[in-house]
Amino acid sequence: MITKKYSEFLPGMQSAEELVVRVDGLSRNIDLLRAGVENEVQRDLNVAVAEFTELKQQLEQDTLVLSILKKLQEFDTALKEYNTALLEKKYIEAAQQLEKARSSLKMLESRKGFELKILKALGTELTVQTQNMLYHLGEEWQKLAVWKLPPSKETIGPESVMHSELHLCTLPSKEEEIAGPPVASVLQAFAVLGELRTKLKTFGKLLLKYILKPLISYPFLQPFVEEQSDVVILKFKSEKPDLDHSSPVEVFDKIKFVLEVLHKYLLNVPVEQCVEDKKECRVTLAELLGDMIWEELSDCLIQNCLVNSIPTNSSKLEQYIEVIKSTEEFEKALKKMQFLNGDTTDLLKYARNVNSHFANKKCQDVIVAARNLMTSEIHNTVKITPDSCVALPKLPDPGSGDHVKMQKTSKLLPNEMVSLENDSKLSQYTFSLPTCRISASVEKLMELAYQTLLETTASTDQCCIQLFYSVRNIFQLFYDVVPTYHKENLQKLPQLAAIHHNNCMYIAHHLLTMGHQFRYRLTSILCDGAATFVDLVPGFRRLGMECFLAQMRVQKGEILERLSSARNFSNMDDEENYSAANKAIRQVLHQLKRLGKVWQDVLPVNVYCKAMGTLLNTALSEIVTRIAALEDISAEDADRLYSLCRIMVEEGPQVFTPLPEEDKNKKYQEEVPVYVQKWMTFKELMIILQANLQEIVDQWADGKGPLAAEFSPAEVKSLIRALFQNTERRAAALAKIK
């Protein structure tokens, strides 16, 4: 068994030993190969890689040099072809060659790490050739469109504008016919060089300044065309206009005529080249020019044409449809000529929004008219009587409202109902403004307010609200403007102060009922209580009273200043003192008479009498106070004081002349005690100056007489001590005054 296993194992062991020997041999061969690769092949490989890298860098450098040389060749070729095309007046081709040269130069300049000194020279050459090209194009452009303008020193006005002309070339020369349409060639060349917008912007400014804007501003200008053999001349002629402002229809026709001429002879040309495999490009000069000038042109049309055409009366709003239609047709014509692109412009939006503009213009006109009236002269007056009233337009019957329902229900009352109406009725003039004079401008102001409110009854809701509040603004403006604008005159001139007082009362009188008169004719928003002017009434009454009271204070100050020169009415036996007192009283009476004439037929009678009574009372009160303060009054002094007081009593009532008719003034002169509080006091003082002790005691009547009603015991005692010497009779009289 063992022998069998050994005999089977021995061949396998022998073959394994043989394999070991073979493996050892292969291992030695591998080591020899590795040593050969590391020593010989790796060295050769490194050399090859180094050579490859060097060759690659050389290739890249040669490729770069080749591309640069190619670009330089392209630049040179482009300039040569440019010069050839320019000589043949092929402006589009010349411009394209310049752009090719510019592109090549930009490519050369973008190469980093590869700078050539020649590039600077090439750039200079390109700039020179570009400017040369622009010069030639400019010369051609000047031949195509020539402006004949007034001298620059002249201001742009109607007369100077008449000399403006635009000459457009119509026939090219034979050489130009071969090269193509001169206009298209020149303009496309400008477009390629990027200078078209600059040229067109200058052209657009001149077109606006000397042709389009004058046509809008001056109605007498009419454009016309004069055709010659090779040129068309656009110029103006003068025609007498029917109105101060041209109608929008006429202005649109004029503008359209000018643009049609330009479109026909100059602007209907493409200005951009398109790629061959794409659709034909239709960007025209008209489109570019329209983009540049339309905004300014439409603003001018709105401000100087459409604004003036806005109706001033709501009844004319329907006629404005013609203006809207003409505006639509105008824009359609411009779009057809490619001056306009896109949707509705601001011009058409403005025309269609006529209701809003009508309200704005009406409100503006109303405020301007009102302010002009407020700043006009106050002294131009008209007489207002209880019978007079503002010429109110006939208002339409209200369609609905609570008052209508009340009228209907009142008809349903049974006949048996007892009337509670009082038999005695108020006078029709009970709530009327008394007779007085107001400024004619204020009467016109109220008429303006009523007419504007009438306009609201036929307007849209928004317009109605705007106009209503414009009327309120009129009165608020009056409150602020008139006292400030006429401040100096109101302070210095008594008559103007009185007229201003009447003006304010007149306005307040109408404001009480103005809102009620129109309440049910206005929009429903205002009918709910907002349509009122009553809140303005107290302010106007206060404004009138404060102005008049300020004038009264001025007059009182002048009266007191004049009486201050009377030397306290003391020592009247001195001729100089008596003369000074007499002069002071005469001056006061003269002042009062002058005021009486100034305010005559101006102030209402009751206000006039109260004002004159207050001023006369000031004078009498001052005289009484000064005489009562005297410590010693001689008999001669008393006589002279009495004579001075008699002048006041005799001539004082004569200052009451509220009416021009003398015979009608007697009634008010007899009622002086009603208006002059110190009148009876003054007369009692005169009695004291001429009475003896017993008569004074009798006038006192134990504190129940007329003297006691006007003077206090202390004042009477002081007068007795000043008039009479210290005797037993005086002591007895003084004892009875208590």
Side-chain angles (χ1 to χ4, degrees), residues 505-642:
M505 296 303 169
Y506 175 79
I507 292 174
H509 179 74
H510 280 278
L511 292 179
L512 284 170
T513 57
M514 181 180 284
H516 179 74
Q517 288 171 283
F518 289 88
R519 179 179 178 184
Y520 297 106
R521 280 90 177 176
L522 303 176
T523 179
S524 58
I525 300 173
L526 295 174
C527 288
D528 296 335
T532 182
F533 296 89
V534 176
D535 56 307
L536 301 175
V537 172
F540 271 91
R541 287 178 174 170
R542 184 170 57 253
L543 181 66
M545 286 189 294
E546 286 177 354
C547 175
F548 190 67
L549 289 176
Q551 186 59 229
M552 287 287 289
R553 288 191 290 271
V554 172
Q555 298 301 324
K556 281 184 179 181
E558 292 182 5
I559 289 173
L560 295 176
E561 184 179 355
R562 288 186 168 95
L563 289 177
S564 65
S565 64
R567 302 186 182 182
N568 294 325
F569 295 95
S570 61
N571 300 325
M572 288 295 100
D573 53 348
D574 186 338
E575 196 64 34
E576 188 176 343
N577 288 355
Y578 175 74
S579 176
N582 184 56
K583 181 180 178 182
I585 286 179
R586 292 291 180 186
Q587 286 178 339
V588 169
L589 287 171
H590 176 73
Q591 177 185 345
L592 292 175
K593 288 178 181 177
R594 180 173 55 83
L595 279 177
K597 290 294 182 183
V598 166
W599 288 342
Q600 184 184 76
D601 200 36
V602 173
L603 286 170
V605 171
N606 63 327
V607 178
Y608 177 96
C609 292
K610 287 180 182 178
M612 294 305 299
T614 300
L615 294 176
L616 181 57
N617 187 72
T618 299
L620 298 184
S621 178
E622 181 69 10
I623 293 172
V624 169
T625 301
R626 290 182 181 274
I627 292 178
L630 295 176
E631 296 180 356
D632 184 23
I633 303 175
S634 64
E636 185 178 354
D637 288 348
D639 290 338
R640 290 198 166 186
L641 287 173
Y642 178 82

Side-chain angles (χ1 to χ4, degrees), residues 3 11-12 31 57 122 134 143 183 222-223 257 260 325 327 387 438-439 518 526 547 557 590 606 613 631 642 693 696:
T3 307
D31 292 337
Q57 291 177 349
L122 295 179
L134 290 176
K143 295 176 184 177
V183 176
Q222 290 292 335
F257 173 79
E260 284 174 349
K325 288 182 178 179
T327 307
D387 295 320
I438 64 169
S439 299
F518 289 88
L526 295 174
C547 175
H590 176 73
N606 63 327
E631 296 180 356
Y642 178 82
L693 283 172
I696 294 174

